[in-house]
Amino acid sequence: MTILAFDTATDVATVAVVRDGEVLAERRSRAIRILHEIESALAEAGVERGAVERLAVGTGPGSYTGLRMGLITARTLAFALGVPAAGVSTLDALAAGSPGATPVIDARRGEIFTLQDGQPSVLAPEDLPVVPGSLYVGDGAVRYRGVLEDRGGTVPGEESEAHVPWARHHAALAADFGSAERLEPLYLRVPDAEVAVQEGRLRI
Amino acid sequence: MILGLETSCDETAAALVTADGEVRANVVASQAELHARYGGVVPEVASRRHLELVAPVVERALADAGAGLADVDAVAVTRGPGLIGALLVGLSAAKTLAWSRRLPLVPVDHLHGHVASLFLEPGSVEPPFLCLLATGGHTLLLDVQDRAGYRVVGTTLDDAAGEAFDKGARLLGLGYPGGAAIDRLARAGDPEAFSLPVARVPGFDFSFSGLKTALVYAVRALEAGELERRRADLAASYQRAIVRALVGRTRAAAEALGAQKVAVVGGVASNSELRESLADAELAPLALCTDNAAMIASAARFATAIPFPDYLALDAYASAA
């Protein structure tokens, strides 16, 4: 089984070509270059695009724009190549790369995305229950290192690979392959304008 | 055939156009109703909807044309200007479609796309001509000497004409989008009932922000309960002021440039009073006035294609350079 996996939800986008559990190629880049990296990774792996059998894509949470670029690429690839796809949470992929660690993604606006009781959630870094001595990974952990370390948490160095949601983990975690149309992004927040309407602040 | 994609604002569109400019399919999924509850286009809401609509719209266009991806020779897509997050959804889809079949990609300037709505068959318009491009985001006078591009002769210094229609409709309580609502209501009103001045700016530029303010004052000056009775007159007078400004500047520029032909494109080109006032001009077909992908595929026939795989890292741009 040859799986093409990628994730563009965070500032570091990743791509992996995995066959029967063996990582044939893996790259990191930025969301806008994802297709270029897919092309390069397939070439490096010696896999023709027509030989890709499954897609695994990161569903976030993360940057809304980056997330959408990955999902539209997955949906379009699934359509053009006629292959099934599966979504994998970017938080789950990060956690898979550092067993025992808590994944923390920068949600901007002073907030973080993390897993709480296994569920993706958005909260202020100060509200994360930090367990002294435990490990925190992801670009959110790097950004709020002070907040986490002040309360006894451990955050690997900025250059650590533990902060990257490597796409090999998406390939490993992917299950329930099917139509790419049902893959939904994990935004975890409604648009500001919707909040304004609901709170009656927006007058039309 | 060229497969065109357009996602620069609040329409998700795909089209198939032949090299000769024949439209085989033209599918537009409008998000107008979605944005009505916010009183205007919300970029994040638009981007989220594009993600859901692009694939179905492309599949529908292929089905309408009775074609498959194997019949596509090039993929055209709006690269800008527009809402960056919205553009990136269409651009990512277009790049991926082109990549999957090693096709060339043609990035299209959205404004060139509007002009190229005139190059589709039947009734393709031959340059040179002076083109008034009026939409919700742009109001430009363009000197079009050939089908590959244009030169900007005049532009709006503040609001676009379509934006002026939307803001006016909001002030009059007509909802969003406002252009069609004002057009409809104006037919029942007296266009000379209110004197709403349009700022005169030098050259061939436009300014509509003062007009909006004039409407605010006209509405405020009404007695309580009078707005209901005078709404049609206000709509008619407001529309008259916008159309007068557009027509006046267009005629003046045509004369100054010695243009033999005048054309009108963009969403505001569907306004009935504007169409009547410039009846001698080449008017974009109604179905091609608002954002669509047929015009993008049309422009691609005259734009520079990027061969596979040189476009894989191509980015979008929000505003014209």
Side-chain angles (χ1 to χ4, degrees):
Chain A
M1 179 71 67
T2 304
I3 301 178
L4 170 63
F6 50 93
D7 190 310
T8 58
T10 62
D11 282 349
V12 180
T14 59
V15 179
V17 181
V18 180
R19 181 183 289 149
D20 301 327
E22 184 193 352
V23 180
L24 303 180
E26 191 166 37
R27 305 176 73 89
R28 60 188 279 176
S29 186
R30 291 180 298 115
I32 191 67
R33 296 180 57 83
I34 195 66
L35 204 55
H36 177 82
E37 300 303 333
I38 287 174
E39 169 80 3
S40 303
L42 287 172
E44 185 186 331
V47 172
E48 282 290 317
R49 70 198 68 189
V52 172
E53 295 168 281
R54 296 280 190 277
L55 300 175
V57 62
T59 54
S63 143
Y64 299 156
T65 296
L67 183 51
R68 275 190 285 269
M69 287 163 73
L71 277 168
I72 194 69
T73 300
R75 288 182 182 188
T76 314
L77 274 178
F79 168 67
L81 301 179
V83 296
V88 174
S89 152
T90 306
L91 289 165
D92 289 341
L94 264 176
S98 303
T102 301
V104 183
I105 292 172
D106 183 7
R108 306 183 195 191
R109 307 172 180 202
E111 293 184 312
I112 53 164
F113 295 125
T114 189
L115 288 173
Q116 286 199 305
D117 302 324
Q119 293 301 309
S121 48
V122 57
L123 66 165
E126 295 77 15
D127 295 338
L128 181 69
V130 175
V131 180
S134 61
L135 197 62
Y136 295 82
V137 296
D139 59 5
V142 173
R143 177 154 187 184
Y144 297 103
R145 174 187 299 278
V147 177
L148 301 172
E149 290 183 343
D150 282 355
R151 288 184 288 155
T154 301
V155 180
E158 194 169 337
E159 297 304 315
S160 168
E161 307 244 312
H163 298 306
V164 177
W166 289 107
R168 68 174 66 196
H169 302 303
H170 299 71
L173 294 171
D176 188 24
F177 288 94
S179 161
E181 289 305 300
R182 67 201 168 104
L183 303 182
E184 292 295 334
L186 288 169
Y187 290 121
L188 300 190
R189 281 193 291 231
V190 297
D192 293 343
E194 183 57 35
V195 176
V197 166
Q198 286 171 5
E199 293 177 355
R201 282 187 282 115
L202 190 71
R203 282 182 48 246
I204 302 171
Chain B
M1 273 191 297
I2 300 170
L3 169 63
L5 284 178
E6 153 67 35
T7 64
S8 67
C9 191
D10 64 340
E11 324 279 355
T12 314
L16 284 152
V17 170
T18 67
D20 298 330
E22 189 192 325
V23 181
R24 291 287 173 84
N26 186 22
V27 179
V28 181
S30 174
Q31 303 180 7
E33 278 179 41
L34 181 67
H35 295 279
R37 70 190 259 109
Y38 312 110
V41 178
V42 178
E44 176 60 22
V45 173
S47 298
R48 290 186 181 194
R49 194 75 181 125
H50 284 307
L51 172 63
E52 293 165 15
L53 291 173
V54 167
V57 162
V58 168
E59 287 179 53
R60 168 84 187 284
L62 287 167
D64 284 0
L69 279 181
D71 301 306
V72 175
D73 303 306
V75 180
V77 63
T78 308
R79 190 180 176 201
L83 306 171
I84 193 72
L87 287 162
L88 284 170
V89 175
L91 180 65
S92 298
K95 288 199 292 191
T96 308
L97 284 170
W99 173 84
S100 71
R101 304 196 65 85
R102 292 187 166 82
L103 299 174
L105 184 86
V106 194
V108 171
D109 165 73
H110 183 74
L111 307 175
H112 185 212
H114 275 295
V115 174
S117 65
L118 297 166
F119 304 147
L120 289 163
E121 300 298 341
S124 173
V125 180
E126 192 67 40
F129 53 80
L130 176 80
C131 187
L132 168 65
L133 188 167
T135 71
H138 306 274
T139 300
L140 296 159
L141 280 169
L142 307 172
D143 178 19
V144 180
Q145 288 295 324
D146 58 52
R147 295 181 172 198
Y150 56 80
R151 183 175 66 89
V152 176
V153 176
T155 185
T156 181
L157 303 177
D158 38 59
D159 293 349
E163 201 177 352
F165 271 111
D166 284 338
K167 287 178 175 174
R170 194 165 167 168
L171 284 168
L172 296 175
L174 299 175
Y176 173 88
I182 286 189
D183 196 350
R184 232 176 355 258
L185 188 60
R187 281 171 213 154
D190 173 7
E192 305 296 341
F194 292 86
S195 171
L196 300 172
V198 173
R200 296 190 65 85
V201 291
F204 300 119
D205 290 338
F206 301 91
S207 169
F208 293 108
S209 65
L211 174 64
K212 180 191 63 193
T213 309
L215 182 64
V216 170
Y217 286 118
V219 170
R220 267 191 211 157
L222 296 176
E223 301 285 324
E226 211 185 347
L227 175 62
E228 190 56 50
R229 197 169 53 76
R230 303 301 305 274
R231 196 176 270 136
D233 287 344
L234 282 163
S237 302
Y238 190 70
Q239 175 172 285
R240 172 63 54 88
I242 294 173
V243 169
R244 196 174 271 165
L246 292 173
V247 172
R249 282 287 139 119
T250 304
R251 295 248 188 253
E255 195 179 321
L257 295 172
Q260 300 295 307
K261 215 183 290 181
V262 169
V264 189
V265 299
V268 179
S270 57
N271 179 270
S272 63
E273 186 173 344
L274 181 64
R275 290 180 91 85
E276 284 157 23
S277 304
L278 285 170
D280 55 332
E282 302 283 356
L283 303 166
L286 280 174
L288 298 174
C289 286
T290 46
D291 289 351
N292 63 86
M295 71 184 199
I296 300 304
S298 177
R301 293 152 60 216
F302 312 102
T304 307
I306 305 178
F308 173 88
D310 298 351
Y311 51 77
L312 296 180
L314 190 74
D315 208 343
Y317 59 88
S319 50

